[in-house]
Amino acid sequence: MAGVNSFRKRPARIAAGAAAGLLSAYSALAVAELAAAAVRPEAGPLAAVGGAAVDRAPAAVKDFAIRTFGEGDKRVLLLGILAVLALCAAGLGVLGAVSPRRLRAVSAGAASFGLVGAAAALTRTGSGSAADALPSLVGGAAGACVLHVLAGRLGREAADAGAADAAGAAGAAGEAGASAVDGARAAGSGGRRSRRGFLAWAVGTAAAATGAGLAGRALGDRRGRGAAASRAAVVLPRPASPAPARPAGAELAVPGISPFTTPARDFYRVDTALVVPRVDADAWRLRIRGSGVARPRTYTYEELLARPLVERDITLTCVSNEVGGPYAGTARWLGVPLAGLLREAGVRPPSDGGPADQLVARSVDGMSFGSPVEDVMDGRDALLAVGMNGEPLPFAHGFPVRMLVPGLYGYVSACKWITEIELTAFDAYDAYWVERGWARRAPVKTQTRIDTPRPFARPAAGTVVVAGVAWAQRRGIERVEVRVDDGPWQPADLAAADTADTWRQWSFRWPAEPGGHTLSARATDGTGRVQPEERAGTVPDGATGHHTVFVTVT
């Protein structure tokens, strides 16, 4: 009978142990979030471990994540980290519940997760100081204490249950008479008290952890409100050089085509920031230094706004954009010409005898981007942007200031939340993504995309309008052609060209016949070079190939 009773109680102890482990992990994360709110949000264990995973991921893995999950890649990463943490915590809780003698080792195992988070916080790109380790260490200690207490109570319940079984068995065998029965009753009563004690501790722990998490969220929101208030107070000056008037006919009235100007809410976002930095514009500073900088300088946000600003429509493209992918967009940017700031600091391009050929931009989260100095200073509209589509930059797109260089992929030019510009040489320094296998130099490649009809659409027979956008920043688009199945290439109608730095819409009226058909598109840039047909992936310097769409005409 004792064996049967023990067997029946063991599954319950396992479930309770798993619950204790999960509660310990919840407590650890909640306490860590509270500590991170006091240090900085990026120092939280989830952000630190996730950021370290991103830092160490090979280029092919990063490319796969973006291709598979799109802008949800960060959410998938965080969910994966939480799932692993939950499994490990539940396992430690079960081990502590069924094997009380291993309780110290189990508690140490829980604390070790804090050490992992601390190591990630200190070694990842953009680590601020030793204080970044504090949230993970405090959270790990809290989780270990919670697990020690809860699993310890389960262990005592197991011991009480064992004593009850032993006493009951002795009584049943007639070996101890009434005293054995009394002992069994006492042990059973102790087991019930132990269970009630575990439940009370579990409920109290959950409540305290929730309170800590809410307090951390409130403290973080308070800090974020300061940054939000600084953004709300910004009044963007009128540009000294407004954007050229957009020509009539630059935007086609075709349902399903990408609008010429991409709304900020729809503009693609590809970066490594698991926590979007919320920078207070009043405290923001930009430092310019390095080789060939005769007059190092530090600028405030107000000083940049006081300078003559230019306004330009510019298309940005991410190097992770697959052929036909969504990671391209056009916005109206307002900013300070970067070349002018560099000349004031005494910087000369290599063609004029300057010693530095690489401009390294660094963001508040430690990311680095390496741009050719020659490109930045060759007369194109390289900007330190402060506005996007008539408003201050959104936080997700770099408020208060971001950098952009027309004609270069974002990973070598589009530094968001920029805080430093260093002039150096390509031979002396590899920026973040170059260290991870991407090319040092990355001019945007000619691409076209079919926006409508969508893949696997079922349009009716008759005239079907095929339409999309094409881009080749700095070179412009001269021609777009469409091919149906294996037929000849046929010219599409182009919208009016805006500038060489923006994409160009196009359309093609297709007399569609019933059946399955493959539509292909290719573009020719302003130099006469035709978009290559050969398919290549995004690594190391951008994808190539023709975008194709299969449709069934009904």
Side-chain angles (χ1 to χ4, degrees):
M1 180 67 69
V4 172
N5 288 339
S6 297
F7 176 80
R8 287 177 178 173
K9 292 176 181 178
R10 186 176 179 87
R13 285 202 301 274
I14 290 175
L22 293 174
L23 270 175
S24 73
Y26 176 58
S27 302
L29 291 176
V31 171
E33 181 167 356
L34 178 58
V39 177
R40 63 186 189 114
E42 296 84 357
L46 285 179
V49 173
V54 172
D55 290 347
R56 289 161 176 77
V61 173
K62 174 254 187 188
D63 193 55
F64 169 81
I66 293 177
R67 183 174 64 251
T68 305
F69 305 112
E71 295 184 27
D73 58 340
K74 301 174 184 63
R75 189 179 302 110
V76 171
L77 173 60
L78 292 176
L79 288 175
I81 293 172
L82 286 172
V84 171
L85 178 62
L87 288 173
C88 292
L92 287 173
V94 169
L95 185 60
V98 301
S99 183
R101 285 178 293 183
R102 298 179 180 175
L103 187 56
R104 289 185 179 179
V106 166
S107 300
S112 69
F113 283 94
L115 296 177
V116 171
L122 292 177
T123 58
R124 75 153 308 201
T125 299
S127 175
S129 67
D132 282 356
L134 186 62
S136 293
L137 293 176
V138 171
C145 289
V146 167
L147 186 59
H148 187 85
V149 170
L150 294 181
R153 287 192 165 272
L154 289 173
R156 284 193 292 276
E157 180 187 344
D160 290 343
D165 284 344
E175 296 177 0
S179 61
V181 174
D182 291 341
R185 288 173 178 170
S189 175
R192 287 190 293 274
R193 287 196 300 273
S194 181
R195 286 192 292 274
R196 287 195 295 270
F198 170 78
L199 289 175
W201 271 91
V203 171
T205 296
T210 300
L214 291 175
R217 184 67 54 86
L219 181 57
D221 289 345
R222 184 182 305 171
R223 294 181 62 173
R225 281 196 294 271
S230 73
R231 181 180 182 274
V234 172
V235 177
L236 294 176
R238 294 179 64 85
S241 174
R246 189 175 303 160
E251 185 155 16
L252 302 178
V254 177
I257 197 172
S258 299
F260 183 86
T261 299
T262 309
R265 67 179 179 276
D266 298 329
F267 208 93
Y268 75 90
R269 179 195 162 206
V270 178
D271 54 51
T272 63
L274 299 182
V275 178
V276 173
R278 298 176 71 85
V279 181
D280 190 325
D282 296 330
W284 176 86
R285 298 292 185 271
L286 173 67
R287 183 186 180 196
I288 299 179
R289 65 180 183 90
S291 176
V293 179
R295 295 173 291 278
R297 183 73 192 273
T298 299
Y299 292 92
T300 66
Y301 186 67
E302 289 299 325
E303 286 173 334
L304 287 190
L305 291 185
R307 298 177 65 89
L309 303 182
V310 302
E311 182 183 62
R312 297 291 184 266
D313 291 331
I314 298 172
T315 297
L316 300 186
T317 312
C318 179
V319 73
S320 294
N321 199 45
E322 293 282 343
V323 172
Y327 303 127
T330 300
R332 177 157 289 187
W333 306 96
L334 178 71
V336 177
L338 181 53
L341 287 181
L342 296 177
R343 290 192 181 94
E344 288 181 12
V347 176
R348 291 175 293 132
S351 61
D352 193 26
D357 62 356
Q358 179 179 205
L359 181 154
V360 177
R362 294 189 175 90
S363 69
V364 69
D365 64 347
M367 279 292 296
S368 58
F369 302 71
S371 308
V373 175
E374 199 69 52
D375 291 352
V376 173
M377 302 185 72
D378 67 359
R380 71 184 73 191
D381 289 311
L383 299 177
L384 291 179
V386 296
M388 179 182 186
N389 293 341
E391 297 183 355
L393 293 171
F395 285 109
H397 292 291
F399 181 84
V401 181
R402 69 172 296 166
M403 182 176 130
L404 54 91
V405 183
L408 300 182
Y409 282 119
Y411 84 99
V412 296
S413 64
C415 180
K416 294 185 281 192
W417 315 293
I418 188 171
T419 60
E420 182 182 67
I421 291 175
E422 178 187 4
L423 279 297
T424 183
F426 279 107
D427 290 341
Y429 181 82
D430 284 337
Y432 182 90
W433 287 116
V434 176
E435 285 185 321
R436 289 155 179 80
W438 297 80
R440 288 178 172 178
R441 300 174 186 267
V444 173
K445 297 178 179 179
T446 302
Q447 286 286 340
T448 189
R449 182 179 71 205
I450 300 172
D451 288 336
T452 183
R454 306 291 294 174
F456 307 112
R458 300 179 65 84
T463 300
V464 174
V465 177
V466 183
V469 289
W471 58 87
Q473 292 91 313
R474 302 304 300 153
R475 303 180 301 279
I477 294 296
E478 179 181 290
R479 183 170 61 253
V480 172
E481 298 166 289
V482 175
R483 182 172 63 189
V484 181
D485 299 323
D486 294 324
W489 288 102
Q490 303 177 65
D493 296 322
L494 291 176
D498 183 43
T499 73
D501 290 336
T502 58
W503 57 16
R504 196 170 182 182
Q505 295 181 338
W506 56 268
S507 66
F508 174 76
R509 296 177 65 83
W510 170 40
E513 298 180 354
H517 299 282
T518 299
L519 304 174
S520 305
R522 71 180 184 185
T524 301
D525 68 20
T527 69
R529 184 174 180 182
V530 180
Q531 178 181 342
E533 184 174 6
E534 182 181 358
R535 281 271 182 160
T538 59
V539 183
D541 60 357
T544 62
H546 295 165
H547 188 207
T548 60
V549 171
F550 180 81
V551 299
T552 301
V553 179
T554 59

